[in-house]
Amino acid sequence: MNRPDPQTPGTHPAQAPAAAPPAHPGRVLVAVMTLALAGLFLALDLLTAERIDPFQVPPPAAFGSGLATAGAHCALPAP
Amino acid sequence: MNSTRVSLILFALVLALGIAAYAGPRSGLLVLIGLGFGLTMEGLGLGFSGPWRLLVTERDGRGCMAQLVAIGLTALLAIPLLAVGASELIGAHAPVGIGMVLGAFVFGLCMQLVLGCGSGTLLNAGSGNLVSAVALVTFMLGSFFGTLNLGWWARLGSLPVLTLQGLFGTVGGLLLTLLLLLGVGLLVWQRAVPGKRRPSDRLLIAAGLVAGFAILNLLIAGQPWGIVYGLGLWGAKLFQVLGLDVAATAFWSAPANAERLAQSVLLDVTSLTNIGLVIGAFIVLRWRAAVAPQVAALQPVSWLVVAAAGLVLGYSSRIAFGCNVGGFFSGISTGSLHGWAWLLAGFAGSTIGIRLRERVLVPLRPPVAAAEAA
């Protein structure tokens, strides 16, 4: 959150020490590093995973496709 | 500022179009839906763990009310859609069990320590919150570790998968879901102090948008919005690259999971919306003129607590069949009984986490105070 965030220590006046120093690095750098890590992971995945066949990709929407969903969800039971 | 904003819009569009060109239109659409979740939740301030904490500590029920509105609106369409498209759509339906309830309890506790649930950790990391960035890495590892023991936890004992529509029919299940949400809303109303009961228009708009994106997610992905599966998959892929024979484990050798493990994450629906969430939060961060300060620097031991709590968050959400999103939000909005058990156990754990938080997240003393003490 960019506005003073009650979930974040140090940004909420009710719970943070008034002069607690902020952590380093700053928000923008941490966000950019997060995206860079995600990008690195995606690049690694593209190198190691099966290539995607453009003629075998799923239809735009599952609903109305006539196909059973091919995804996997958090609620998937144990095998 | 305007050029930054134009660049951000172009970045989002190029990303979605690029993914659509490489992995198909469904993948591109799901990244856009993830972006929508991220922009809405980060931009309009709708979350999960924060409102639960505010309800307990400040008797502020507005965020919780907005959550209930979002879940109710989603259920209004999701439960009938699941009935109409039973062959194409699946709900977030999982059994209530010992492992599931314990997992939700521990998740609720830990999410107050790392300042966010599953979606909150992604959003906060995307907006540069250092605590969440640290927790996200260990969350991913924990979610993978959870997959290695999921069978053991399931064997501790559980009910069969039960849904309200399965028990009472589509109309009966939907009405009961809405009535139960109304009942929880009344409890929140009673707990909150006057002036902190009705959500602001901003929160109501956010609730409506989140419900809209959740329905789009269901229609396009064929399954409800989730977070944890994608993070566990990323962890599994990392360990696979490091040489671990992940595909030989019970969870990852199951057909649906083995397919996900072999394919690119750009075909995994949960990964795609997760990516969108992080980028959506980043866009909000850069869109605003003023950047909020970084979180307070913590004592070294507190950083260890954050890392450990992230690990436990990932593990517990896996055995709980989802975090606030996959278990609570999507579970309830698609009629699953485990969503309600998740709410009860998660909220109980959250109240303990709120008390623990001030003890374990200790900021570094300010330099001046430290000098005076010396």
Side-chain angles (χ1 to χ4, degrees):
Chain A
M1 301 283 171
N2 248 342
R3 67 176 71 87
D5 175 11
Q7 296 185 43
T8 305
T11 62
H12 191 257
Q15 69 177 60
H24 292 287
R27 277 190 175 259
V28 174
L29 184 54
V30 171
V32 170
M33 283 165 60
T34 302
L35 289 189
L37 269 178
L40 193 66
F41 173 78
L42 278 179
L44 191 67
D45 180 60
L46 290 177
L47 287 174
T48 55
E50 290 172 358
R51 286 191 64 81
I52 297 173
D53 179 350
F55 298 103
Q56 293 291 323
V57 294
F63 188 66
S65 68
L67 302 170
T69 184
H73 194 265
C74 318
L76 208 65
Chain B
M1 180 52 68
N2 280 340
S3 63
T4 304
R5 292 179 173 178
V6 171
S7 304
L8 289 169
I9 293 169
L10 284 176
F11 169 60
L13 288 176
V14 167
L15 179 87
L17 284 172
I19 289 178
Y22 181 74
R26 185 183 296 191
S27 296
L29 288 170
L30 286 169
V31 167
L32 285 176
I33 289 170
L35 277 166
F37 279 125
L39 293 171
T40 302
M41 295 176 74
E42 184 68 17
L44 298 178
L46 179 66
F48 288 97
S49 61
W52 285 21
R53 186 182 63 73
L54 291 174
L55 180 65
V56 173
T57 59
E58 299 181 26
R59 303 186 77 126
D60 183 341
R62 291 172 291 188
C64 288
M65 286 293 198
Q67 288 175 15
L68 297 172
V69 169
I71 294 171
L73 289 175
T74 307
L76 264 177
L77 284 174
I79 291 177
L81 277 170
L82 287 170
V84 173
S87 61
E88 298 160 342
L89 308 179
I90 56 167
H93 300 158
V96 177
I98 294 170
M100 182 255 124
V101 170
L102 190 64
F105 177 85
V106 173
F107 185 92
L109 190 156
C110 288
M111 77 179 186
Q112 295 298 346
L113 301 184
V114 305
L115 321 168
C117 54
S119 58
T121 301
L122 288 168
L123 289 168
N124 288 340
S127 67
N129 180 317
L130 190 56
V131 166
S132 297
V134 170
L136 179 58
V137 175
T138 53
F139 192 130
M140 188 174 69
L141 300 178
S143 185
F144 167 65
F145 294 149
T147 64
L148 302 180
N149 304 133
L150 187 57
W152 186 85
W153 287 104
R155 284 191 293 277
L156 285 181
S158 65
L159 297 171
V161 176
L162 295 171
T163 64
L164 296 182
Q165 60 268 39
L167 293 170
F168 304 106
T170 300
V171 175
L174 175 59
L175 287 177
L176 187 55
T177 298
L178 296 176
L179 274 174
L180 287 169
L181 286 169
L182 189 64
V184 175
L186 287 173
L187 290 174
V188 172
W189 185 276
Q190 200 173 28
R191 166 74 191 170
V193 292
K196 292 184 176 179
R197 287 171 169 159
R198 186 192 175 279
S200 62
D201 290 345
R202 172 177 59 82
L203 280 177
L204 287 174
I205 290 169
L209 286 171
V210 164
F213 288 122
I215 292 299
L216 284 175
N217 191 98
L218 178 65
L219 292 172
I220 290 169
Q223 63 180 47
W225 181 27
I227 301 279
V228 174
Y229 184 87
L231 294 178
L233 177 64
W234 298 358
K237 281 177 168 282
L238 278 180
F239 276 98
Q240 191 167 246
V241 168
L242 292 174
L244 190 71
D245 190 6
V246 176
T249 63
F251 184 88
W252 294 105
S253 61
N257 298 327
E259 193 180 356
R260 297 281 88 69
L261 190 62
Q263 285 179 336
S264 166
V265 291
L266 295 180
L267 288 175
D268 173 52
V269 295
T270 314
S271 296
L272 290 162
T273 44
N274 285 354
I275 291 167
L277 267 172
V278 175
I279 294 173
F282 176 76
I283 289 174
V284 173
L285 172 80
R286 299 301 293 142
W287 189 275
R288 288 176 173 151
V291 175
Q294 183 55 275
V295 295
L298 300 175
Q299 305 272 3
V301 71
S302 291
W303 286 112
L304 288 177
V305 170
V306 166
L311 194 74
V312 178
L313 262 186
Y315 189 93
S316 58
S317 57
R318 183 57 274 175
I319 65 171
F321 299 114
C323 60
N324 294 54
V325 171
F328 164 55
F329 182 98
S330 294
I332 291 178
S333 63
T334 61
S336 180
L337 199 63
H338 96 289
W340 291 101
W342 204 110
L343 169 61
L344 292 174
F347 195 83
S350 177
T351 55
I352 294 173
I354 290 164
R355 293 194 181 91
L356 274 180
R357 175 166 140 155
E358 288 179 11
R359 295 182 187 177
V360 298
L361 289 191
V362 185
L364 282 175
R365 278 194 296 177
V368 175
E372 283 173 357

